[in-house]
Amino acid sequence: MTDESYDGGEINPEDMTLDELRTEIRDIDREIVELIARRTYVADTIAQVKARQGLPTTDEKQEQAVMDRAGENATRFDVDANLVKAIFRLLIELNKVEQRENR
């Protein structure tokens, strides 16, 4: 891993039992879903602002910036950039669908 990679913080997986590791994964999964919910809420707010300002739902320049940032963060934390970008493509599509439905 790189210097800026996630190193587990205070958790040393090598000292944990299988059940403890599974509990840690469960907690991380909940946090991921919570972050997706937060992101979706903010994206919905952006959609409302766009609607008030008469702006289009799709902003390709912004989408590219999000994808670039996702790749940079993947590299920073030593995670497969293609996988991270695929996840972000799904998040962007989810938000675009919801924005269109709410217009």
Side-chain angles (χ1 to χ4, degrees):
M1 292 199 155
T2 63
D3 288 342
E4 292 190 60
S5 299
Y6 181 72
D7 65 3
E10 298 176 18
I11 300 166
N12 185 355
E14 295 168 2
D15 294 335
M16 297 174 75
T17 68
L18 184 58
D19 285 342
E20 289 171 331
L21 290 166
R22 286 181 175 155
T23 297
E24 183 68 15
I25 288 289
R26 186 191 70 224
D27 293 345
I28 292 167
D29 290 348
R30 185 200 53 77
E31 290 173 21
I32 290 170
V33 173
E34 180 180 357
L35 290 171
I36 290 170
R38 281 180 53 200
R39 189 182 196 287
T40 300
Y41 173 79
V42 173
D44 288 346
T45 305
I46 289 170
Q48 293 170 16
V49 171
K50 285 180 177 181
R52 282 196 304 269
Q53 295 180 359
L55 298 171
T57 300
T58 301
D59 182 343
E60 291 180 16
K61 185 176 177 183
Q62 180 60 26
E63 288 178 26
Q64 186 59 53
V66 170
M67 296 304 291
D68 291 346
R69 229 178 13 251
E72 290 166 7
N73 284 324
T75 300
R76 177 178 174 206
F77 290 102
D78 197 25
V79 179
D80 183 288
N82 289 326
L83 175 64
V84 170
K85 286 181 179 182
I87 292 168
F88 273 82
R89 275 187 211 96
L90 289 171
L91 291 171
I92 289 168
E93 286 306 311
L94 169 71
N95 294 142
K96 285 167 51 174
V97 167
E98 289 188 11
Q99 285 181 18
R100 282 189 215 108
E101 289 175 355
N102 292 331
R103 280 203 159 193

